[in-house]
Amino acid sequence: MANEYWQGWDAGCKLASEQLGLKYMSQTFEDSIEKQISQIEQAPSLGVNAVVTFAQNAEVIKALAATASQVGIKLANAHSTAAWLHADDAAYGDAYLLYSQPDNIRGIAAMAQALFDKIGNKGKVLYVGGLPGNFSADSRMAGVQLALGNNPDIVLVANEPGGENRVAARPVVENLLTAHPDVAAIISYNDDTAIAVLDVLRERGLTGSIVTAGNDATREMLNRMREDDSALGTVSINAPFMTGYSVVTLYDALEGITYDPLEKMRYFDSLFLDSPEAAETYLAAMDPSGRIDFDFKGMSRHVNGDNWKVQWGMEVIDPSNFWGKIESMTSLKPANWALPEKVAASIQAGNVGKLNAMYKAHSAPGPLSAVTGLTRAKKTVLGFS
């Protein structure tokens, strides 16, 4: 909870619970897989029947979902999932209700493209990445590769993991800049990495001559965008919406709403903030806890019937073309892998397109709509305006 992103995560859960009249408690597992599993096991004894969590690593989600099924609770998980595992896997009954993540490939590609445009679409760049083998890190690297493929005159001269925090990233940035002093841009894995880059650039008198961008839309990075000529932007992956809507999904399921099997895996939208005006307006939409005032009650299908409205974009994940986009995932595909029967049938029925059209039809202006209009694209990564 010392990390600003997770403060926003907690704020979204709390706000949705308040709006829906639910009791809410927050727990941390301090990077301990054993503690995380134990918390799921003990949930019923605390009167808890639904949990929103972030799997500590890709494989632990299997144990978390199995445990949730055994003790009879509903589970929503974000960001980290096992390779070639669909949330509708029969092994978990109907316990694993939702896996969500931003589309890191499209989001990071948009961020990298903005950096490339800023430097005239030619020149040398660096990438300070996440931890190899982590699903988010690997998918963000795929986004960088996508942008590079569209810009043949951009040369990636080095790609090094930066540990995902500024303390670990700083020496990596220093060494890379010493080895490659003629780069024009540095692609940063997240905002903490970008802030390490900005600090090193300032200390070396390079502010304004090399640009960077991050991911997370933290307050510090948004403020840097307003005052630092090297801070081009940051991708908002909107923690308060991600967790708040996860609460809505679990609540509706407990009230008897059923979902198409494809809805158990969704992309929640992101937005590349690329102007000081967008940064300032985004900051104004957040309170000190990280809360953003979404109308989560208005998003509930149980409460509103067919009049439910979402205030942030989403898409179902097409699992037939999800893991195969990530180089590190392709080698992990089981020889006899197949989608769950109901998921395959839904894809065959054309429900990927139908469900995504449904989300567009139920979209409505929200607390970040004005921010979207202040970006150069004037739309989100998933194409919502």
Side-chain angles (χ1 to χ4, degrees):
M1 290 300 294
N3 183 298
E4 186 180 318
Y5 177 80
W6 300 114
Q7 293 168 16
W9 175 285
D10 182 60
C13 273
K14 185 176 182 181
L15 177 60
S17 298
E18 289 173 353
Q19 291 180 359
L20 292 167
L22 308 176
K23 294 181 179 179
Y24 172 64
M25 69 172 64
S26 176
Q27 295 180 326
T28 60
F29 51 86
E30 290 101 24
D31 297 336
S32 167
I33 292 171
E34 292 77 14
K35 186 172 182 179
Q36 188 176 26
I37 295 171
S38 175
Q39 287 172 340
I40 301 293
E41 289 174 335
Q42 296 170 16
S45 68
L46 299 173
V48 171
N49 57 6
V51 173
V52 179
T53 194
F54 161 69
Q56 172 66 11
N57 62 43
E59 286 300 311
V60 76
I61 185 55
K62 296 177 181 178
L64 295 176
T67 303
S69 179
Q70 290 164 9
V71 301
I73 65 170
K74 304 294 187 185
L75 182 72
N77 169 49
H79 288 306
S80 181
T81 187
W84 307 96
L85 172 69
H86 196 279
D88 199 51
D89 193 302
Y92 311 126
D94 202 33
Y96 192 5
L97 258 291
L98 177 65
Y99 169 71
S100 62
Q101 66 163 74
D103 187 338
N104 283 311
I105 296 178
R106 280 186 279 179
I108 297 302
M111 178 261 274
Q113 185 63 56
L115 285 171
F116 299 164
D117 291 344
K118 181 70 174 177
I119 64 175
N121 305 102
K122 62 181 178 180
K124 298 177 181 180
V125 301
L126 300 169
Y127 179 46
V128 184
L131 300 172
N134 175 287
F135 186 78
S136 289
D138 291 351
S139 57
R140 291 182 194 184
M141 182 65 222
V144 173
Q145 292 170 333
L146 175 61
L148 288 169
N150 293 328
N151 294 268
D153 293 327
I154 295 288
V155 180
L156 180 67
V157 294
N159 164 29
E160 295 289 342
E164 303 184 11
N165 67 79
R166 68 189 72 183
V167 174
R170 184 184 175 91
V172 175
V173 175
E174 290 174 334
N175 291 337
L176 287 173
L177 276 174
T178 298
H180 306 281
D182 56 343
V183 296
I186 300 176
I187 308 165
S188 296
Y189 175 80
N190 61 10
D191 282 358
D192 244 32
T193 304
I195 289 164
V197 170
L198 294 170
D199 288 346
V200 173
L201 293 177
R202 182 178 57 204
E203 290 167 12
R204 296 192 179 192
L206 296 172
T207 297
S209 61
I210 299 173
V211 290
T212 192
N215 188 88
D216 285 345
T218 60
R219 284 184 190 82
E220 187 172 357
M221 187 62 185
L222 291 165
N223 279 311
R224 288 291 187 101
M225 286 174 59
R226 300 162 66 192
E227 62 191 34
D228 192 320
D229 290 339
S230 284
L232 180 66
T234 179
V235 181
S236 165
I237 56 177
N238 201 341
F241 178 85
M242 175 172 281
T243 53
Y245 192 79
S246 294
V247 171
V248 173
T249 303
L250 295 169
Y251 168 77
D252 280 358
L254 289 167
E255 291 291 350
I257 298 297
T258 57
Y259 300 99
D260 186 284
L262 283 168
E263 292 189 272
K264 289 189 174 184
M265 293 185 69
R266 301 190 220 182
Y267 288 126
F268 288 167
D269 217 342
S270 53
L271 176 66
F272 182 55
L273 307 168
D274 56 0
S275 73
E277 296 79 15
E280 186 169 354
T281 306
Y282 194 98
L283 280 165
M286 285 193 297
D287 78 359
S289 74
R291 164 175 161 163
I292 298 175
D293 283 328
F294 289 101
D295 177 13
F296 290 115
K297 189 173 183 179
M299 302 182 198
S300 167
R301 302 181 195 184
H302 170 69
V303 172
N304 301 285
D306 196 46
N307 292 320
W308 58 275
K309 298 291 183 182
V310 290
Q311 297 180 325
W312 190 244
M314 66 180 70
E315 291 182 358
V316 293
I317 292 173
D318 183 348
S320 62
N321 188 31
F322 179 53
W323 296 278
K325 296 178 182 178
I326 314 300
E327 185 176 345
S328 62
M329 300 288 110
T330 55
S331 62
L332 300 176
K333 184 176 182 179
N336 60 347
W337 181 82
L339 285 168
E341 185 175 329
K342 291 180 181 178
V343 176
S346 185
I347 293 173
Q348 185 65 30
N351 287 342
V352 172
K354 292 175 184 176
L355 290 165
N356 291 341
M358 178 182 75
Y359 298 144
K360 284 281 180 73
H362 284 271
S363 65
L368 296 179
S369 296
V371 182
T372 304
L374 293 171
T375 64
R376 290 183 176 86
K378 301 192 183 306
K379 61 182 179 180
T380 66
V381 168
L382 298 183
F384 287 72
S385 58

